[in-house]
Amino acid sequence: MRKKIVAGNWKMNLSIADGVTLVNTIISTLPSLPQEAHVILCCPFTHLDRVSTSIRETSHAQLHAGAQNCHDKASGAFTGEVSIEMLKEVGVDAVIIGHSERRHYFNEDHDFLKRKTDALVAADMHVLFCCGEPLAVRERNGQNDYVANQLTESLFHLNAQQMKACITIAYEPIWAIGTGVTASTEQAQEMHAHIRSLLSATFGNEVAQEISILYGGSCNAANAAELFACQDVDGGLIGGAALKAESFLPIIEAMC
Ligand code: PGA
């Protein structure tokens, strides 16, 4: 059975103190999760040690600390960057790669994302690989090819075993991120089914059925349940609504 996942992407928000309060509130009020369900809190680098310590103290095996970025090299003269081993040292289990904000503001291209993906897979880390089209592409109905290209360029060189072991895909249409405009359930399901058919064509149906595909983009307590009820939507990558326990917990409940 494929995993259900709700991941919070805190982006560059919350003080360390507020982040620790949030994770402690989530820990103390987390509903009991079905065996296949996981919650990942993707925090700023400065928060990860404290957040993962809080998580480890509860021995909650289905709650994880995640990072929002990493570098592909193990060490060296890369001012401002953080390596995968450094993330592992502070208890990180998962890393977001290919978020549209990193592609756009930091010019991360297909090749860099491919190298990061390879480094993460080699380190046996869980990769939350983001894809999704801008509004102009959606308006000319080019979203399927656009997303297929993102996946082909940076992800589909992996083998089936690596895909199964390490990869979760997050479909995040750029026009829905932080805008309050959510993809309709039809739009989400259509794209998720498209992604699963690409997975099936590349890695076989058995692998395609095991890879979780999350939806992200203005997913909130009011719309999570209907999005997660779609056949190929296996959870969500949540930005704004992940910053408060009262908006994040109902999304977790919608997955259960
Ligand atoms: P949002 O962000 O939920 O605030 O739209 C999602 C994301 O960027 O991961």
Side-chain angles (χ1 to χ4, degrees), residues 7-9 11 96 99-101 130 170 172-173 176-181 215-220 237-242:
N9 177 9
K11 308 192 180 184
I96 297 173
H99 193 282
S100 59
E101 288 151 18
C130 301
E172 298 204 305
I177 295 177
T179 58
V181 178
Y215 169 79
S218 298
C219 183
N220 57 40
L237 180 55
I238 318 298

PDB file of all heavy atoms in Angstrom, residues 7-9 11 96 99-101 130 170 172-173 176-181 215-220 237-242, ligand 1:
ATOM      1  N   ALA A   7       2.979  16.906   4.327  1.00  0.00           N
ATOM      2  CA  ALA A   7       4.236  17.581   4.653  1.00  0.00           C
ATOM      3  C   ALA A   7       3.968  19.073   4.789  1.00  0.00           C
ATOM      4  O   ALA A   7       3.295  19.668   3.946  1.00  0.00           O
ATOM      5  CB  ALA A   7       5.266  17.316   3.553  1.00  0.00           C
ATOM      6  N   GLY A   8       4.485  19.645   5.855  1.00  0.00           N
ATOM      7  CA  GLY A   8       4.382  21.092   6.043  1.00  0.00           C
ATOM      8  C   GLY A   8       5.648  21.749   5.527  1.00  0.00           C
ATOM      9  O   GLY A   8       6.744  21.322   5.870  1.00  0.00           O
ATOM     10  N   ASN A   9       5.484  22.742   4.681  1.00  0.00           N
ATOM     11  CA  ASN A   9       6.633  23.503   4.176  1.00  0.00           C
ATOM     12  C   ASN A   9       6.578  24.882   4.825  1.00  0.00           C
ATOM     13  O   ASN A   9       5.801  25.736   4.402  1.00  0.00           O
ATOM     14  CB  ASN A   9       6.527  23.596   2.642  1.00  0.00           C
ATOM     15  CG  ASN A   9       7.635  24.439   2.031  1.00  0.00           C
ATOM     16  OD1 ASN A   9       8.585  24.822   2.715  1.00  0.00           O
ATOM     17  ND2 ASN A   9       7.517  24.726   0.746  1.00  0.00           N
ATOM     18  N   LYS A  11       8.704  27.161   4.784  1.00  0.00           N
ATOM     19  CA  LYS A  11       9.437  28.179   4.014  1.00  0.00           C
ATOM     20  C   LYS A  11      10.293  29.016   4.975  1.00  0.00           C
ATOM     21  O   LYS A  11      10.815  28.482   5.954  1.00  0.00           O
ATOM     22  CB  LYS A  11       8.466  29.019   3.180  1.00  0.00           C
ATOM     23  CG  LYS A  11       7.532  28.132   2.334  1.00  0.00           C
ATOM     24  CD  LYS A  11       6.759  28.855   1.288  1.00  0.00           C
ATOM     25  CE  LYS A  11       5.875  27.863   0.540  1.00  0.00           C
ATOM     26  NZ  LYS A  11       5.145  28.453  -0.571  1.00  0.00           N
ATOM     27  N   ILE A  96      12.923  18.510   0.522  1.00  0.00           N
ATOM     28  CA  ILE A  96      12.168  19.022  -0.632  1.00  0.00           C
ATOM     29  C   ILE A  96      13.167  19.421  -1.717  1.00  0.00           C
ATOM     30  O   ILE A  96      14.139  20.124  -1.443  1.00  0.00           O
ATOM     31  CB  ILE A  96      11.342  20.271  -0.236  1.00  0.00           C
ATOM     32  CG1 ILE A  96      10.279  19.931   0.817  1.00  0.00           C
ATOM     33  CG2 ILE A  96      10.687  20.891  -1.471  1.00  0.00           C
ATOM     34  CD1 ILE A  96       9.540  21.159   1.359  1.00  0.00           C
ATOM     35  N   HIS A  99      11.307  22.752  -5.594  1.00  0.00           N
ATOM     36  CA  HIS A  99      10.184  23.657  -5.336  1.00  0.00           C
ATOM     37  C   HIS A  99      10.250  24.813  -6.332  1.00  0.00           C
ATOM     38  O   HIS A  99      11.328  25.304  -6.657  1.00  0.00           O
ATOM     39  CB  HIS A  99      10.246  24.171  -3.893  1.00  0.00           C
ATOM     40  CG  HIS A  99       8.967  24.847  -3.492  1.00  0.00           C
ATOM     41  ND1 HIS A  99       8.664  26.128  -3.893  1.00  0.00           N
ATOM     42  CD2 HIS A  99       7.904  24.405  -2.770  1.00  0.00           C
ATOM     43  CE1 HIS A  99       7.468  26.450  -3.428  1.00  0.00           C
ATOM     44  NE2 HIS A  99       6.981  25.424  -2.742  1.00  0.00           N
ATOM     45  N   SER A 100       9.098  25.289  -6.773  1.00  0.00           N
ATOM     46  CA  SER A 100       9.077  26.346  -7.808  1.00  0.00           C
ATOM     47  C   SER A 100       9.769  27.614  -7.319  1.00  0.00           C
ATOM     48  O   SER A 100      10.340  28.358  -8.120  1.00  0.00           O
ATOM     49  CB  SER A 100       7.647  26.647  -8.228  1.00  0.00           C
ATOM     50  OG  SER A 100       6.891  27.052  -7.119  1.00  0.00           O
ATOM     51  N   GLU A 101       9.752  27.862  -5.998  1.00  0.00           N
ATOM     52  CA  GLU A 101      10.443  29.063  -5.492  1.00  0.00           C
ATOM     53  C   GLU A 101      11.955  28.921  -5.651  1.00  0.00           C
ATOM     54  O   GLU A 101      12.649  29.891  -5.940  1.00  0.00           O
ATOM     55  CB  GLU A 101      10.031  29.315  -4.036  1.00  0.00           C
ATOM     56  CG  GLU A 101       8.594  29.826  -3.961  1.00  0.00           C
ATOM     57  CD  GLU A 101       7.855  29.470  -2.686  1.00  0.00           C
ATOM     58  OE1 GLU A 101       8.485  29.118  -1.684  1.00  0.00           O
ATOM     59  OE2 GLU A 101       6.599  29.560  -2.712  1.00  0.00           O
ATOM     60  N   CYS A 130       9.288  18.268  -6.256  1.00  0.00           N
ATOM     61  CA  CYS A 130       8.174  19.133  -6.676  1.00  0.00           C
ATOM     62  C   CYS A 130       8.187  19.383  -8.183  1.00  0.00           C
ATOM     63  O   CYS A 130       9.251  19.546  -8.790  1.00  0.00           O
ATOM     64  CB  CYS A 130       8.255  20.488  -5.986  1.00  0.00           C
ATOM     65  SG  CYS A 130       8.203  20.400  -4.199  1.00  0.00           S
ATOM     66  N   ALA A 170       5.539  15.751  -5.567  1.00  0.00           N
ATOM     67  CA  ALA A 170       4.525  16.730  -5.157  1.00  0.00           C
ATOM     68  C   ALA A 170       4.159  17.575  -6.380  1.00  0.00           C
ATOM     69  O   ALA A 170       5.030  18.254  -6.939  1.00  0.00           O
ATOM     70  CB  ALA A 170       5.059  17.615  -4.039  1.00  0.00           C
ATOM     71  N   GLU A 172       2.613  20.728  -7.661  1.00  0.00           N
ATOM     72  CA  GLU A 172       2.254  22.042  -7.132  1.00  0.00           C
ATOM     73  C   GLU A 172       2.125  23.037  -8.287  1.00  0.00           C
ATOM     74  O   GLU A 172       3.136  23.626  -8.721  1.00  0.00           O
ATOM     75  CB  GLU A 172       3.332  22.552  -6.175  1.00  0.00           C
ATOM     76  CG  GLU A 172       3.533  21.687  -4.955  1.00  0.00           C
ATOM     77  CD  GLU A 172       4.141  22.490  -3.807  1.00  0.00           C
ATOM     78  OE1 GLU A 172       5.199  23.107  -4.001  1.00  0.00           O
ATOM     79  OE2 GLU A 172       3.531  22.517  -2.736  1.00  0.00           O
ATOM     80  N   PRO A 173       0.913  23.225  -8.819  1.00  0.00           N
ATOM     81  CA  PRO A 173       0.757  24.231  -9.872  1.00  0.00           C
ATOM     82  C   PRO A 173       1.143  25.599  -9.327  1.00  0.00           C
ATOM     83  O   PRO A 173       0.680  25.996  -8.254  1.00  0.00           O
ATOM     84  CB  PRO A 173      -0.733  24.147 -10.226  1.00  0.00           C
ATOM     85  CG  PRO A 173      -1.404  23.449  -9.085  1.00  0.00           C
ATOM     86  CD  PRO A 173      -0.368  22.609  -8.413  1.00  0.00           C
ATOM     87  N   ALA A 176      -1.279  28.144  -8.051  1.00  0.00           N
ATOM     88  CA  ALA A 176      -2.042  27.842  -6.827  1.00  0.00           C
ATOM     89  C   ALA A 176      -1.217  28.076  -5.560  1.00  0.00           C
ATOM     90  O   ALA A 176      -1.767  28.097  -4.458  1.00  0.00           O
ATOM     91  CB  ALA A 176      -2.527  26.391  -6.868  1.00  0.00           C
ATOM     92  N   ILE A 177       0.090  28.256  -5.695  1.00  0.00           N
ATOM     93  CA  ILE A 177       0.946  28.357  -4.500  1.00  0.00           C
ATOM     94  C   ILE A 177       0.808  29.733  -3.861  1.00  0.00           C
ATOM     95  O   ILE A 177       1.113  30.751  -4.493  1.00  0.00           O
ATOM     96  CB  ILE A 177       2.422  28.077  -4.853  1.00  0.00           C
ATOM     97  CG1 ILE A 177       2.592  26.627  -5.313  1.00  0.00           C
ATOM     98  CG2 ILE A 177       3.329  28.360  -3.646  1.00  0.00           C
ATOM     99  CD1 ILE A 177       4.004  26.282  -5.761  1.00  0.00           C
ATOM    100  N   GLY A 178       0.312  29.738  -2.632  1.00  0.00           N
ATOM    101  CA  GLY A 178       0.225  30.977  -1.866  1.00  0.00           C
ATOM    102  C   GLY A 178      -0.776  31.973  -2.411  1.00  0.00           C
ATOM    103  O   GLY A 178      -0.790  33.133  -1.999  1.00  0.00           O
ATOM    104  N   THR A 179      -1.632  31.551  -3.332  1.00  0.00           N
ATOM    105  CA  THR A 179      -2.559  32.493  -3.983  1.00  0.00           C
ATOM    106  C   THR A 179      -3.973  32.412  -3.435  1.00  0.00           C
ATOM    107  O   THR A 179      -4.790  33.282  -3.711  1.00  0.00           O
ATOM    108  CB  THR A 179      -2.647  32.194  -5.495  1.00  0.00           C
ATOM    109  OG1 THR A 179      -3.079  30.831  -5.663  1.00  0.00           O
ATOM    110  CG2 THR A 179      -1.308  32.394  -6.185  1.00  0.00           C
ATOM    111  N   GLY A 180      -4.280  31.337  -2.719  1.00  0.00           N
ATOM    112  CA  GLY A 180      -5.662  31.122  -2.295  1.00  0.00           C
ATOM    113  C   GLY A 180      -6.501  30.476  -3.398  1.00  0.00           C
ATOM    114  O   GLY A 180      -7.657  30.139  -3.192  1.00  0.00           O
ATOM    115  N   VAL A 181      -5.917  30.311  -4.582  1.00  0.00           N
ATOM    116  CA  VAL A 181      -6.611  29.608  -5.676  1.00  0.00           C
ATOM    117  C   VAL A 181      -6.125  28.166  -5.661  1.00  0.00           C
ATOM    118  O   VAL A 181      -4.943  27.897  -5.876  1.00  0.00           O
ATOM    119  CB  VAL A 181      -6.253  30.229  -7.052  1.00  0.00           C
ATOM    120  CG1 VAL A 181      -6.938  29.471  -8.180  1.00  0.00           C
ATOM    121  CG2 VAL A 181      -6.609  31.696  -7.079  1.00  0.00           C
ATOM    122  N   TYR A 215      -0.465  16.647  -3.489  1.00  0.00           N
ATOM    123  CA  TYR A 215      -0.903  17.904  -4.103  1.00  0.00           C
ATOM    124  C   TYR A 215      -0.463  19.067  -3.213  1.00  0.00           C
ATOM    125  O   TYR A 215      -0.568  18.992  -1.982  1.00  0.00           O
ATOM    126  CB  TYR A 215      -2.442  17.941  -4.267  1.00  0.00           C
ATOM    127  CG  TYR A 215      -2.875  19.339  -4.648  1.00  0.00           C
ATOM    128  CD1 TYR A 215      -2.742  19.786  -5.958  1.00  0.00           C
ATOM    129  CD2 TYR A 215      -3.299  20.250  -3.669  1.00  0.00           C
ATOM    130  CE1 TYR A 215      -3.042  21.095  -6.292  1.00  0.00           C
ATOM    131  CE2 TYR A 215      -3.602  21.556  -4.008  1.00  0.00           C
ATOM    132  CZ  TYR A 215      -3.467  21.973  -5.317  1.00  0.00           C
ATOM    133  OH  TYR A 215      -3.739  23.270  -5.654  1.00  0.00           O
ATOM    134  N   GLY A 216       0.010  20.145  -3.830  1.00  0.00           N
ATOM    135  CA  GLY A 216       0.332  21.365  -3.071  1.00  0.00           C
ATOM    136  C   GLY A 216      -0.133  22.596  -3.818  1.00  0.00           C
ATOM    137  O   GLY A 216      -0.129  22.635  -5.058  1.00  0.00           O
ATOM    138  N   GLY A 217      -0.521  23.606  -3.065  1.00  0.00           N
ATOM    139  CA  GLY A 217      -0.983  24.866  -3.656  1.00  0.00           C
ATOM    140  C   GLY A 217      -2.298  25.274  -3.037  1.00  0.00           C
ATOM    141  O   GLY A 217      -3.352  24.798  -3.452  1.00  0.00           O
ATOM    142  N   SER A 218      -2.203  26.117  -1.981  1.00  0.00           N
ATOM    143  CA  SER A 218      -3.399  26.603  -1.275  1.00  0.00           C
ATOM    144  C   SER A 218      -4.292  25.455  -0.785  1.00  0.00           C
ATOM    145  O   SER A 218      -5.516  25.571  -0.767  1.00  0.00           O
ATOM    146  CB  SER A 218      -4.194  27.575  -2.152  1.00  0.00           C
ATOM    147  OG  SER A 218      -3.395  28.708  -2.446  1.00  0.00           O
ATOM    148  N   CYS A 219      -3.654  24.372  -0.395  1.00  0.00           N
ATOM    149  CA  CYS A 219      -4.395  23.279   0.247  1.00  0.00           C
ATOM    150  C   CYS A 219      -4.604  23.688   1.704  1.00  0.00           C
ATOM    151  O   CYS A 219      -3.675  24.163   2.363  1.00  0.00           O
ATOM    152  CB  CYS A 219      -3.573  21.996   0.154  1.00  0.00           C
ATOM    153  SG  CYS A 219      -4.405  20.562   0.836  1.00  0.00           S
ATOM    154  N   ASN A 220      -5.824  23.539   2.186  1.00  0.00           N
ATOM    155  CA  ASN A 220      -6.118  24.002   3.550  1.00  0.00           C
ATOM    156  C   ASN A 220      -7.152  23.089   4.214  1.00  0.00           C
ATOM    157  O   ASN A 220      -7.594  22.098   3.611  1.00  0.00           O
ATOM    158  CB  ASN A 220      -6.583  25.465   3.528  1.00  0.00           C
ATOM    159  CG  ASN A 220      -7.800  25.668   2.643  1.00  0.00           C
ATOM    160  OD1 ASN A 220      -8.702  24.830   2.634  1.00  0.00           O
ATOM    161  ND2 ASN A 220      -7.820  26.766   1.894  1.00  0.00           N
ATOM    162  N   LEU A 237       1.386  18.773   0.185  1.00  0.00           N
ATOM    163  CA  LEU A 237       2.515  19.602   0.623  1.00  0.00           C
ATOM    164  C   LEU A 237       1.911  20.966   0.937  1.00  0.00           C
ATOM    165  O   LEU A 237       1.361  21.635   0.057  1.00  0.00           O
ATOM    166  CB  LEU A 237       3.575  19.684  -0.484  1.00  0.00           C
ATOM    167  CG  LEU A 237       4.825  20.526  -0.191  1.00  0.00           C
ATOM    168  CD1 LEU A 237       5.520  20.093   1.093  1.00  0.00           C
ATOM    169  CD2 LEU A 237       5.824  20.431  -1.346  1.00  0.00           C
ATOM    170  N   ILE A 238       2.020  21.347   2.190  1.00  0.00           N
ATOM    171  CA  ILE A 238       1.220  22.455   2.699  1.00  0.00           C
ATOM    172  C   ILE A 238       2.120  23.616   3.101  1.00  0.00           C
ATOM    173  O   ILE A 238       3.033  23.435   3.914  1.00  0.00           O
ATOM    174  CB  ILE A 238       0.418  22.012   3.971  1.00  0.00           C
ATOM    175  CG1 ILE A 238      -0.189  20.608   3.793  1.00  0.00           C
ATOM    176  CG2 ILE A 238      -0.618  23.053   4.350  1.00  0.00           C
ATOM    177  CD1 ILE A 238      -1.191  20.464   2.683  1.00  0.00           C
ATOM    178  N   GLY A 239       1.863  24.801   2.578  1.00  0.00           N
ATOM    179  CA  GLY A 239       2.648  25.969   2.935  1.00  0.00           C
ATOM    180  C   GLY A 239       1.979  26.760   4.050  1.00  0.00           C
ATOM    181  O   GLY A 239       2.115  26.452   5.239  1.00  0.00           O
ATOM    182  N   GLY A 240       1.238  27.787   3.669  1.00  0.00           N
ATOM    183  CA  GLY A 240       0.645  28.709   4.647  1.00  0.00           C
ATOM    184  C   GLY A 240      -0.123  28.018   5.764  1.00  0.00           C
ATOM    185  O   GLY A 240       0.011  28.377   6.945  1.00  0.00           O
ATOM    186  N   ALA A 241      -0.905  27.016   5.419  1.00  0.00           N
ATOM    187  CA  ALA A 241      -1.742  26.354   6.427  1.00  0.00           C
ATOM    188  C   ALA A 241      -0.937  25.450   7.364  1.00  0.00           C
ATOM    189  O   ALA A 241      -1.484  24.912   8.333  1.00  0.00           O
ATOM    190  CB  ALA A 241      -2.852  25.559   5.743  1.00  0.00           C
ATOM    191  N   ALA A 242       0.365  25.294   7.099  1.00  0.00           N
ATOM    192  CA  ALA A 242       1.191  24.459   7.982  1.00  0.00           C
ATOM    193  C   ALA A 242       1.811  25.272   9.121  1.00  0.00           C
ATOM    194  O   ALA A 242       2.492  24.715   9.980  1.00  0.00           O
ATOM    195  CB  ALA A 242       2.303  23.787   7.178  1.00  0.00           C
TER     196      ALA A 242
HETATM  197  P1  PGA B   1       0.786  27.088  -0.026  1.00  0.00           P
HETATM  198  O1  PGA B   1       2.265  26.615  -0.407  1.00  0.00           O
HETATM  199  O2  PGA B   1       0.107  25.945   0.662  1.00  0.00           O
HETATM  200  O3  PGA B   1       0.971  28.290   0.854  1.00  0.00           O
HETATM  201  O4  PGA B   1       0.100  27.433  -1.320  1.00  0.00           O
HETATM  202  C1  PGA B   1       2.526  25.301  -0.819  1.00  0.00           C
HETATM  203  C2  PGA B   1       3.981  25.144  -1.154  1.00  0.00           C
HETATM  204  O5  PGA B   1       4.587  26.072  -1.713  1.00  0.00           O
HETATM  205  O6  PGA B   1       4.586  24.094  -0.879  1.00  0.00           O
END
